[in-house]
Amino acid sequence: MADDTDDTVPEGIDAGGVTAWFEHHAADVAPPLRFSLIAGGRSNFTYTVTDSAGHRFVLRRPPLGPLLPSAHDMGREHRVIAALGPSAVPVPPVVGLCTDEAVTGAPFYVMRFVDGLILRDPNAAAAVPESTRLAAAQALVDVLADLHGLDPGAVGLGDLGRQDGYVERLLRRWRGQWEKSKSRELPLVEEVADRLAADIPAAGPARIVHGDYRLDNVIVSAADGSVQAVLDWELCTLGDPLADLGMLLVYWTEPGDEMSALAWAPTTAPGFPGRKEVAARYAASSGRDVSELDYYVALGYWKIAVILEGVYVRYASGAYGATDDSWRAFESSVPKLAEAADEAARRSGR
C-alpha cells in the first residue's frame, strides 16, 4: 500500500491535537507527523500518519458533517479489531481509541500500518501475476471461512450483537436508514425488502459477520497473495455468516457482467475464479450449506442500494468536503442495484 504523505494537513485532522494524542499513546512515535487521506473510501475517513523516523500508522475517523444515529462507530471498530488480534483472522495491530472529540472533531482510532497491496481495480490486479490473483482470491475466501468458524464468546465478542434475528434486524435497520436518507421515491427498494422479510431462511448459530467483506477491503501480500489484514469493520456484528458470502458475491464482478455493485472491480482481471468457484471454495472451507445463497445475494444487492443512497446524499450535502463529481454516478446506480436485488430474489423463489 503506497504511502503518499505530504506536509498538507487534510480535512478532518487537527495536527496539534492528534500529535499530542500520539505522543501519549504510541511510545515509539517521533513527531512531527505527516498526514494523508487514503483515496478510495466512501464512508469513514482513513489517513496514513508518518512520523519523522518513518514509522507509519493508520487513523480512522467518521466523515465530516451530521451522521445517522449509530453510524460510523469508532469504538465498535476498535473493539472488534483488538479482539480479533490473537485469532486466525489477520487484522492490523491496534494502537488505541480516542473518544474525546475535542482532539480532532470526532472520535478516532489508530492502527499500525500493514504493508502490502490493496487490489482496488483491474489495473491494480494486473500489476501482480495471475497466479497471485488466484492465490489472493482463495486466501480471501479461506479467511472468511476462518472468521465464521470463530466462537464469538471465545474471542470476547459474544455481546457484540444479538444472537438471533440477524436478517430481520438487518432489513429493519437498513429500511429505517433508507427512510431517513433517501432523496427520491424508488418503490422497488421497498418491494424487495417486503419479499425478503416475508421468507427468511432458517439460520444456524450466530457468528461474527464482517458486513462489507470484499477484495478491496483486505491487504494482500505482493509475494504470494496471502491476506495480511482485513480492514473496514464498521458494519461488523453477530449474525448469519451467509450474508457475508452473499455480499462478497455481489461485489465479485465477472468479465462481461452488465450490472456491477463495484465499479472497476479487480475481479474482472484474468486469473480470478468466477462466483461459482468462490461459493464452492467457501462451502468446502467452512462446511456450510450454501443452497440458499441467492437469497443472501439479493439481500446484499438491496443493502448496497440503501447504503449508496446514503453516500450519495452525504456527498451532495458536502459532508465529504471538496471532491470530484464521480459520486454523481450513485444516483443512477441505486435503482440498478434494486433491480439486481429483485432478480436474485426471484431466483431464490422470493
Side-chain angles (χ1 to χ4, degrees):
M1 185 162 60
D3 176 23
D4 56 354
T5 54
D6 58 33
D7 291 330
T8 303
V9 179
E11 286 186 294
I13 293 292
D14 180 306
V18 173
T19 297
W21 184 92
F22 265 85
E23 289 177 315
H24 186 70
H25 292 87
D28 58 342
V29 74
L33 305 180
R34 293 179 294 145
F35 304 91
S36 178
L37 180 65
I38 297 175
R42 299 292 189 183
S43 183
N44 289 322
F45 280 13
T46 307
Y47 308 82
T48 53
V49 183
T50 308
D51 72 4
S52 63
H55 301 130
R56 291 184 291 179
F57 307 85
V58 173
L59 184 151
R60 292 263 289 171
R61 61 149 289 163
L64 308 177
L67 304 174
L68 291 170
S70 79
H72 314 286
D73 188 339
M74 297 294 97
R76 186 181 185 85
E77 281 193 57
H78 174 267
R79 179 191 174 192
V80 169
I81 295 173
L84 293 177
S87 78
V89 178
V91 291
V94 297
V95 174
L97 168 71
C98 177
T99 59
D100 182 359
E101 297 188 12
V103 174
T104 193
F108 65 89
Y109 72 94
V110 175
M111 307 168 281
R112 298 283 173 176
F113 185 94
V114 176
D115 210 358
L117 302 174
I118 297 180
L119 303 180
R120 297 191 186 280
D121 53 45
N123 291 333
V128 299
E130 287 192 28
S131 60
T132 303
R133 296 172 215 166
L134 176 61
Q138 293 172 339
L140 183 76
V141 175
D142 292 346
V143 167
L144 185 62
D146 287 341
L147 174 65
H148 295 161
L150 294 175
D151 178 344
V155 296
L157 296 175
D159 61 348
L160 187 66
R162 283 177 49 186
Q163 296 278 339
D164 60 354
Y166 170 71
V167 174
E168 293 97 327
R169 286 182 282 114
L170 187 151
L171 286 165
R172 185 169 57 250
R173 174 192 176 189
W174 289 106
R175 190 158 189 172
Q177 300 287 53
W178 171 259
E179 294 298 332
K180 293 173 183 175
S181 64
K182 67 179 179 179
S183 62
R184 58 270 172 82
E185 295 298 324
L186 292 174
L188 188 57
V189 173
E190 294 168 14
E191 291 170 14
V192 171
D194 287 340
R195 283 155 44 205
L196 294 177
D199 190 9
I200 298 172
R207 289 292 182 261
I208 302 166
V209 293
H210 181 278
D212 196 23
Y213 195 80
R214 61 182 195 251
L215 186 57
D216 67 323
N217 272 343
V218 304
I219 299 172
V220 300
S221 166
D224 61 10
S226 59
V227 174
Q228 301 300 293
V230 180
L231 309 174
D232 291 355
W233 292 89
E234 66 179 289
L235 300 179
C236 179
T237 188
L238 302 185
D240 190 333
L242 289 183
D244 268 346
L245 180 61
M247 182 66 77
L248 177 61
L249 295 186
V250 164
Y251 284 124
W252 203 272
T253 309
E254 296 181 356
D257 279 352
E258 293 184 2
M259 177 60 221
S260 173
L262 189 63
W264 295 98
T267 53
T268 59
F272 286 103
R275 285 187 289 267
K276 289 183 179 179
E277 290 82 3
V278 169
R281 186 174 182 96
Y282 176 86
S285 295
S286 67
R288 296 184 185 279
D289 177 7
V290 297
S291 59
E292 287 276 20
L293 192 50
D294 277 332
Y295 177 94
Y296 295 95
V297 170
L299 183 66
Y301 274 120
W302 177 83
K303 188 173 83 166
I304 296 172
V306 174
I307 291 172
L308 286 191
E309 179 74 2
V311 173
Y312 168 72
V313 170
R314 290 198 296 275
Y315 267 111
S317 70
Y320 287 108
T323 67
D324 59 27
D325 286 338
S326 61
W327 58 271
R328 296 186 183 278
F330 295 147
E331 183 176 12
S332 60
S333 295
V334 173
K336 291 179 182 178
L337 288 164
E339 292 170 6
D342 175 56
E343 293 176 8
R346 293 183 188 278
R347 289 197 306 270
S348 75
R350 273 77 179 180

